[in-house]
Amino acid sequence: MLALVQDGTPRLVHDYPSPRRAPGEALLRPRLVGLCDTDLQLARGYLGFRGVLGHEVVADVLEADDPTWVGRRVVTDINAGCGACADCLDAAGHHCAARSVLGILGRDGALAERFVMPERTLRRVPEQLTDEHAVFAEPLAAALHVLDELPTVSRAPCLVIGDGKLGLLTALALHAAGCPVTLIGHHRSKLDRIAALGIQTDLEQDFAPREKYAFVVEATGSEAGLASALAVTAPRGTLVLKTTTHGSITVDLAPLVIHEIRLVGSRCGDVNEALTWLAQIDPRPLIDARYPLARADQALEHAARRGTLKVLVSADA
Amino acid sequence: MLALVQDGTPRLVHDYPSPRRAPGEALLRPRLVGLCDTDLQLARGYLGFRGVLGHEVVADVLEADDPTWVGRRVVTDINAGCGACADCLDAAGHHCAARSVLGILGRDGALAERFVMPERTLRRVPEQLTDEHAVFAEPLAAALHVLDELPTVSRAPCLVIGDGKLGLLTALALHAAGCPVTLIGHHRSKLDRIAALGIQTDLEQDFAPREKYAFVVEATGSEAGLASALAVTAPRGTLVLKTTTHGSITVDLAPLVIHEIRLVGSRCGDVNEALTWLAQIDPRPLIDARYPLARADQALEHAARRGTLKVLVSADA
């Protein structure tokens, strides 16, 4: 089958072996796949991943043990835990030590004609959601997950640093949850995509807050972004680190100790919750381009271009 | 008066001006002062502090607005907040933006014949505590403050990394609070000071944990210590950063995001609480040397020697 494969350098492969469904797994046909910064990092060697890329996906179920899944349009939790450990039984298995992660860790992704995932990770997409909405379920779940770090849904001002895809989605999520949010970044054109929704935006160079923020989300994944974030987080405030960076960074952590800041890593969220929020959060202003799978390599190149937001890859030729 | 002054290089000054008591302040005569790593860092230029060093102190009250203080033996919260902001009114003023901090920030410290602090920061020392106990109230309060990061006082195993003064005190605090604690460090001689109390200790080179820890305290203040700490903190675990480092460090924060670790800065604690705990925590095995104030410069040099634990400076000649 056709697939976008990272085997040192990402490339289109025409004769990649079709996946075989193990017991408990569903065989899926992607409808639409989104590219994110993790894909770009994996393409550059992050985590040493080898295999098919792609983990933001809305798909049709072709085969499954449970026949009620067949023919359903679904999204998926990207973490496939062992199903038996404490983390899998008590939580969502996002920290199962034996987990594989779709297109990220030990499991082929969705930028292919077919892929497989355990049936228990699938979530049915409500009919009223378009594919363009549903393909955002995974990144929006990650964005909404920052709300889990707010002890109570606060009405205090929140700050999101970074106008990339995840920064914009996080600002959308906080705004939808009723938090007064300011988004700062370097690109007026990106900020303007969501400024119209009533979200306060500022170019970083113009940003001069009168007070520090008790809740800050760092979504640039850069050394400079973390330094800025530490500088504007209030004493005893929470700073959520939302993006993995490839490699080490240099940082002065004295402000973290002096101001007793909580720096919290935040990764995957609940895709079911994201599907619910997608009834009121419209992520489509973030879409920049759409490519067929046969040009997925060009889609990846496009996504890597500076200033690009969401690039989608569709199953149709 | 005689004082140990940091004015670029720390030195003994014989004619330092005696402090004047402002309204609401008490004039104090130190009985015993402890040296900590923050003093050593301030002596090397950290925070650009200029003035009298010393903030771990048990003292006698000579003068005060409230006459019931006079003649009392006291310890002090080192943070002197404005007394009027939200942080001062709702909390202890440890994060008051206008605060001064005894011997650390905008306020002369206790390595002198006299010093002043606001009366509201003073805590009376119970008679049954010796000066050698009471002088540990401030650092023990900082050590006990890590317990505030434990959602409930956990019986799950805790790990403290670093066999310096604060690492040992933190291990003592967690042990006294009923947490099964392991302390790792580089110096068998230091570890042995508290191993006798039933605290599990390990040389770092021999440390091979079977499982990660849900609660880890980093008390080395070093790049290597933080990397080790991140590597042994369990998913969704808490890693408390207990010491400020002077300058930037290089760190790979990907594990923090992937494992959704909370990295929490922790500074000062409640000295009153520490006084209570000192009835059952005996910190005296940590004392390495005692100097008179007239040799406080030599005390500081001694404290900076590799392998040294607590060095005290007493008022007596």
Short mmCIF file of all heavy atoms in Angstrom, two decimals, chain A residues 40-82:
data_model
loop_
_atom_site.label_atom_id
_atom_site.label_comp_id
_atom_site.label_asym_id
_atom_site.label_seq_id
_atom_site.Cartn_x
_atom_site.Cartn_y
_atom_site.Cartn_z
N LEU A 40 6.83 16.72 12.31
CA LEU A 40 8.02 17.39 11.74
C LEU A 40 9.27 17.01 12.52
O LEU A 40 10.33 16.79 11.93
CB LEU A 40 7.82 18.91 11.75
CG LEU A 40 6.64 19.42 10.92
CD1 LEU A 40 6.46 20.93 11.10
CD2 LEU A 40 6.84 19.09 9.44
N GLN A 41 9.13 16.90 13.84
CA GLN A 41 10.29 16.51 14.65
C GLN A 41 10.66 15.05 14.43
O GLN A 41 11.84 14.71 14.35
CB GLN A 41 10.00 16.74 16.14
CG GLN A 41 9.88 18.23 16.48
CD GLN A 41 10.00 18.47 17.98
OE1 GLN A 41 10.72 17.78 18.67
NE2 GLN A 41 9.29 19.48 18.46
N LEU A 42 9.63 14.17 14.32
CA LEU A 42 9.91 12.76 14.04
C LEU A 42 10.62 12.64 12.69
O LEU A 42 11.53 11.81 12.51
CB LEU A 42 8.61 11.95 14.02
CG LEU A 42 7.87 11.83 15.35
CD1 LEU A 42 6.47 11.26 15.12
CD2 LEU A 42 8.64 10.97 16.35
N ALA A 43 10.22 13.48 11.74
CA ALA A 43 10.83 13.45 10.41
C ALA A 43 12.29 13.87 10.48
O ALA A 43 13.10 13.48 9.64
CB ALA A 43 10.07 14.38 9.46
N ARG A 44 12.63 14.64 11.54
CA ARG A 44 14.02 15.08 11.71
C ARG A 44 14.81 14.14 12.63
O ARG A 44 15.96 14.40 12.95
CB ARG A 44 14.06 16.50 12.28
CG ARG A 44 13.66 17.57 11.27
CD ARG A 44 14.03 18.97 11.77
NE ARG A 44 13.20 19.40 12.88
CZ ARG A 44 12.13 20.19 12.78
NH1 ARG A 44 11.74 20.63 11.59
NH2 ARG A 44 11.43 20.54 13.82
N GLY A 45 14.14 13.08 13.09
CA GLY A 45 14.88 12.08 13.87
C GLY A 45 14.50 11.96 15.33
O GLY A 45 15.04 11.13 16.05
N TYR A 46 13.56 12.80 15.77
CA TYR A 46 13.14 12.79 17.17
C TYR A 46 12.67 11.39 17.59
O TYR A 46 11.90 10.75 16.88
CB TYR A 46 12.02 13.82 17.34
CG TYR A 46 11.39 13.91 18.72
CD1 TYR A 46 12.14 14.21 19.85
CD2 TYR A 46 10.03 13.72 18.88
CE1 TYR A 46 11.56 14.31 21.10
CE2 TYR A 46 9.42 13.83 20.12
CZ TYR A 46 10.20 14.12 21.23
OH TYR A 46 9.60 14.22 22.46
N LEU A 47 13.11 10.92 18.72
CA LEU A 47 12.75 9.63 19.30
C LEU A 47 13.22 8.44 18.47
O LEU A 47 12.95 7.29 18.80
CB LEU A 47 11.22 9.50 19.52
CG LEU A 47 10.56 10.49 20.50
CD1 LEU A 47 9.05 10.25 20.55
CD2 LEU A 47 11.14 10.32 21.92
N GLY A 48 13.92 8.71 17.37
CA GLY A 48 14.42 7.62 16.53
C GLY A 48 13.31 6.79 15.89
O GLY A 48 13.51 5.62 15.55
N PHE A 49 12.14 7.40 15.72
CA PHE A 49 11.00 6.65 15.19
C PHE A 49 11.26 6.16 13.77
O PHE A 49 11.79 6.88 12.93
CB PHE A 49 9.75 7.54 15.21
CG PHE A 49 8.53 6.89 14.58
CD1 PHE A 49 7.86 5.88 15.24
CD2 PHE A 49 8.09 7.30 13.32
CE1 PHE A 49 6.74 5.28 14.66
CE2 PHE A 49 6.97 6.70 12.75
CZ PHE A 49 6.30 5.70 13.41
N ARG A 50 10.88 4.91 13.50
CA ARG A 50 10.90 4.34 12.15
C ARG A 50 9.53 3.75 11.86
O ARG A 50 9.01 2.97 12.68
CB ARG A 50 11.95 3.22 12.04
CG ARG A 50 13.39 3.70 12.16
CD ARG A 50 13.81 4.51 10.91
NE ARG A 50 15.18 4.99 11.02
CZ ARG A 50 15.53 6.15 11.59
NH1 ARG A 50 14.61 6.94 12.12
NH2 ARG A 50 16.79 6.52 11.60
N GLY A 51 8.95 4.11 10.71
CA GLY A 51 7.65 3.56 10.35
C GLY A 51 6.79 4.61 9.68
O GLY A 51 7.27 5.68 9.27
N VAL A 52 5.49 4.31 9.58
CA VAL A 52 4.54 5.23 8.94
C VAL A 52 4.24 6.37 9.90
O VAL A 52 3.96 6.15 11.08
CB VAL A 52 3.24 4.49 8.57
CG1 VAL A 52 2.24 5.45 7.92
CG2 VAL A 52 3.53 3.31 7.64
N LEU A 53 4.31 7.61 9.41
CA LEU A 53 3.99 8.79 10.21
C LEU A 53 2.47 9.01 10.27
O LEU A 53 1.71 8.37 9.55
CB LEU A 53 4.68 10.02 9.61
CG LEU A 53 6.21 10.06 9.74
CD1 LEU A 53 6.81 11.13 8.82
CD2 LEU A 53 6.60 10.32 11.20
N GLY A 54 2.04 9.96 11.10
CA GLY A 54 0.64 10.38 11.11
C GLY A 54 -0.13 9.87 12.31
O GLY A 54 -0.21 8.65 12.53
N HIS A 55 -0.68 10.80 13.12
CA HIS A 55 -1.45 10.34 14.29
C HIS A 55 -2.70 11.17 14.54
O HIS A 55 -3.51 10.82 15.39
CB HIS A 55 -0.55 10.34 15.54
CG HIS A 55 0.03 11.70 15.85
ND1 HIS A 55 1.19 12.15 15.27
CD2 HIS A 55 -0.41 12.70 16.64
CE1 HIS A 55 1.45 13.38 15.72
NE2 HIS A 55 0.48 13.73 16.53
N GLU A 56 -2.89 12.27 13.80
CA GLU A 56 -4.14 13.03 13.91
C GLU A 56 -5.02 12.55 12.76
O GLU A 56 -4.76 12.86 11.61
CB GLU A 56 -3.87 14.53 13.76
CG GLU A 56 -2.94 15.10 14.81
CD GLU A 56 -2.68 16.59 14.62
OE1 GLU A 56 -3.22 17.19 13.67
OE2 GLU A 56 -1.95 17.16 15.44
N VAL A 57 -6.08 11.81 13.09
CA VAL A 57 -6.78 11.13 11.99
C VAL A 57 -8.26 10.93 12.28
O VAL A 57 -8.66 10.68 13.43
CB VAL A 57 -6.09 9.77 11.69
CG1 VAL A 57 -6.09 8.87 12.93
CG2 VAL A 57 -6.73 9.06 10.51
N VAL A 58 -9.05 11.11 11.24
CA VAL A 58 -10.43 10.61 11.28
C VAL A 58 -10.52 9.51 10.21
O VAL A 58 -9.97 9.67 9.12
CB VAL A 58 -11.46 11.76 11.07
CG1 VAL A 58 -11.15 12.60 9.85
CG2 VAL A 58 -12.89 11.21 10.98
N ALA A 59 -11.14 8.39 10.57
CA ALA A 59 -11.03 7.19 9.73
C ALA A 59 -12.34 6.41 9.75
O ALA A 59 -13.20 6.62 10.61
CB ALA A 59 -9.90 6.31 10.23
N ASP A 60 -12.46 5.49 8.78
CA ASP A 60 -13.59 4.55 8.77
C ASP A 60 -13.11 3.19 9.24
O ASP A 60 -12.01 2.76 8.87
CB ASP A 60 -14.14 4.41 7.35
CG ASP A 60 -14.83 5.68 6.87
OD1 ASP A 60 -15.59 6.28 7.66
OD2 ASP A 60 -14.59 6.09 5.72
N VAL A 61 -13.96 2.51 10.01
CA VAL A 61 -13.61 1.17 10.47
C VAL A 61 -13.98 0.16 9.38
O VAL A 61 -15.14 0.08 8.96
CB VAL A 61 -14.34 0.82 11.78
CG1 VAL A 61 -13.95 -0.59 12.24
CG2 VAL A 61 -14.03 1.85 12.86
N LEU A 62 -12.98 -0.60 8.94
CA LEU A 62 -13.22 -1.62 7.91
C LEU A 62 -13.50 -2.99 8.53
O LEU A 62 -14.38 -3.72 8.08
CB LEU A 62 -12.01 -1.73 6.97
CG LEU A 62 -11.64 -0.46 6.18
CD1 LEU A 62 -10.42 -0.73 5.31
CD2 LEU A 62 -12.81 0.00 5.33
N GLU A 63 -12.72 -3.31 9.55
CA GLU A 63 -12.87 -4.62 10.21
C GLU A 63 -12.64 -4.43 11.70
O GLU A 63 -11.83 -3.59 12.10
CB GLU A 63 -11.82 -5.63 9.71
CG GLU A 63 -11.93 -6.01 8.26
CD GLU A 63 -10.74 -6.90 7.84
OE1 GLU A 63 -10.06 -7.46 8.75
OE2 GLU A 63 -10.47 -6.98 6.64
N ALA A 64 -13.34 -5.25 12.51
CA ALA A 64 -13.14 -5.21 13.97
C ALA A 64 -13.73 -6.48 14.57
O ALA A 64 -14.58 -7.13 13.94
CB ALA A 64 -13.80 -3.99 14.57
N ASP A 65 -13.26 -6.85 15.77
CA ASP A 65 -13.85 -8.00 16.46
C ASP A 65 -15.32 -7.71 16.75
O ASP A 65 -16.19 -8.56 16.55
CB ASP A 65 -13.12 -8.26 17.78
CG ASP A 65 -11.76 -8.91 17.56
OD1 ASP A 65 -11.43 -9.20 16.39
OD2 ASP A 65 -11.04 -9.11 18.56
N ASP A 66 -15.56 -6.51 17.25
CA ASP A 66 -16.93 -6.09 17.59
C ASP A 66 -17.59 -5.54 16.32
O ASP A 66 -17.23 -4.47 15.84
CB ASP A 66 -16.85 -5.01 18.67
CG ASP A 66 -18.21 -4.43 19.04
OD1 ASP A 66 -19.21 -4.73 18.32
OD2 ASP A 66 -18.27 -3.65 20.00
N PRO A 67 -18.58 -6.27 15.79
CA PRO A 67 -19.13 -5.87 14.48
C PRO A 67 -19.85 -4.52 14.50
O PRO A 67 -20.02 -3.91 13.44
CB PRO A 67 -20.12 -7.00 14.16
CG PRO A 67 -20.43 -7.64 15.46
CD PRO A 67 -19.22 -7.46 16.33
N THR A 68 -20.21 -4.03 15.68
CA THR A 68 -20.90 -2.72 15.71
C THR A 68 -19.97 -1.57 15.33
O THR A 68 -20.41 -0.48 15.03
CB THR A 68 -21.50 -2.43 17.11
OG1 THR A 68 -20.45 -2.35 18.07
CG2 THR A 68 -22.49 -3.51 17.52
N TRP A 69 -18.63 -1.82 15.35
CA TRP A 69 -17.69 -0.77 14.93
C TRP A 69 -17.63 -0.63 13.41
O TRP A 69 -17.32 0.44 12.89
CB TRP A 69 -16.27 -1.07 15.44
CG TRP A 69 -15.99 -0.65 16.85
CD1 TRP A 69 -15.66 -1.46 17.89
CD2 TRP A 69 -16.00 0.69 17.38
NE1 TRP A 69 -15.46 -0.71 19.02
CE2 TRP A 69 -15.67 0.61 18.74
CE3 TRP A 69 -16.28 1.94 16.82
CZ2 TRP A 69 -15.58 1.73 19.56
CZ3 TRP A 69 -16.19 3.07 17.64
CH2 TRP A 69 -15.86 2.96 18.99
N VAL A 70 -17.90 -1.72 12.71
CA VAL A 70 -17.65 -1.74 11.26
C VAL A 70 -18.53 -0.69 10.55
O VAL A 70 -19.73 -0.62 10.78
CB VAL A 70 -17.87 -3.15 10.68
CG1 VAL A 70 -17.65 -3.15 9.15
CG2 VAL A 70 -16.90 -4.14 11.35
N GLY A 71 -17.88 0.13 9.71
CA GLY A 71 -18.59 1.17 8.98
C GLY A 71 -18.68 2.49 9.72
O GLY A 71 -19.11 3.49 9.16
N ARG A 72 -18.23 2.49 10.99
CA ARG A 72 -18.31 3.73 11.78
C ARG A 72 -17.17 4.68 11.40
O ARG A 72 -16.06 4.25 11.09
CB ARG A 72 -18.19 3.43 13.28
CG ARG A 72 -19.29 2.57 13.84
CD ARG A 72 -20.61 3.28 13.77
NE ARG A 72 -21.66 2.51 14.45
CZ ARG A 72 -22.96 2.69 14.27
NH1 ARG A 72 -23.40 3.60 13.42
NH2 ARG A 72 -23.83 1.97 14.94
N ARG A 73 -17.48 5.96 11.52
CA ARG A 73 -16.45 6.99 11.37
C ARG A 73 -15.90 7.28 12.77
O ARG A 73 -16.68 7.56 13.70
CB ARG A 73 -17.07 8.23 10.76
CG ARG A 73 -16.06 9.31 10.37
CD ARG A 73 -16.73 10.42 9.56
NE ARG A 73 -17.78 11.07 10.33
CZ ARG A 73 -17.94 12.39 10.46
NH1 ARG A 73 -17.12 13.21 9.85
NH2 ARG A 73 -18.92 12.89 11.17
N VAL A 74 -14.61 7.21 12.92
CA VAL A 74 -14.01 7.29 14.27
C VAL A 74 -12.79 8.19 14.30
O VAL A 74 -12.16 8.47 13.28
CB VAL A 74 -13.58 5.90 14.78
CG1 VAL A 74 -14.78 4.96 14.93
CG2 VAL A 74 -12.51 5.28 13.88
N VAL A 75 -12.48 8.63 15.53
CA VAL A 75 -11.14 9.15 15.84
C VAL A 75 -10.57 8.20 16.89
O VAL A 75 -11.28 7.31 17.38
CB VAL A 75 -11.18 10.60 16.37
CG1 VAL A 75 -11.66 11.55 15.30
CG2 VAL A 75 -12.03 10.70 17.63
N THR A 76 -9.29 8.39 17.23
CA THR A 76 -8.68 7.43 18.14
C THR A 76 -7.76 8.11 19.15
O THR A 76 -7.10 9.09 18.84
CB THR A 76 -7.88 6.36 17.34
OG1 THR A 76 -7.18 5.53 18.25
CG2 THR A 76 -6.91 6.97 16.36
N ASP A 77 -7.80 7.58 20.37
CA ASP A 77 -6.74 7.91 21.33
C ASP A 77 -5.48 7.31 20.75
O ASP A 77 -5.47 6.14 20.38
CB ASP A 77 -7.08 7.30 22.70
CG ASP A 77 -6.13 7.79 23.79
OD1 ASP A 77 -4.90 7.84 23.55
OD2 ASP A 77 -6.61 8.12 24.88
N ILE A 78 -4.42 8.10 20.66
CA ILE A 78 -3.23 7.60 19.96
C ILE A 78 -2.40 6.63 20.80
O ILE A 78 -1.52 5.96 20.29
CB ILE A 78 -2.34 8.77 19.46
CG1 ILE A 78 -1.78 9.59 20.63
CG2 ILE A 78 -3.13 9.66 18.50
CD1 ILE A 78 -0.78 10.67 20.17
N ASN A 79 -2.68 6.56 22.10
CA ASN A 79 -1.92 5.68 22.99
C ASN A 79 -2.57 4.30 23.06
O ASN A 79 -3.72 4.18 23.44
CB ASN A 79 -1.88 6.26 24.41
CG ASN A 79 -1.20 7.61 24.45
OD1 ASN A 79 0.02 7.70 24.52
ND2 ASN A 79 -2.01 8.67 24.39
N ALA A 80 -1.81 3.29 22.70
CA ALA A 80 -2.30 1.92 22.80
C ALA A 80 -1.58 1.24 23.95
O ALA A 80 -0.47 0.72 23.79
CB ALA A 80 -2.07 1.17 21.49
N GLY A 81 -2.19 1.30 25.13
CA GLY A 81 -1.58 0.71 26.32
C GLY A 81 -1.74 -0.80 26.33
O GLY A 81 -2.43 -1.37 25.48
N CYS A 82 -1.11 -1.42 27.34
CA CYS A 82 -1.15 -2.88 27.43
C CYS A 82 -2.55 -3.36 27.82
O CYS A 82 -2.92 -4.50 27.59
CB CYS A 82 -0.12 -3.37 28.45
SG CYS A 82 -0.53 -2.93 30.17
#
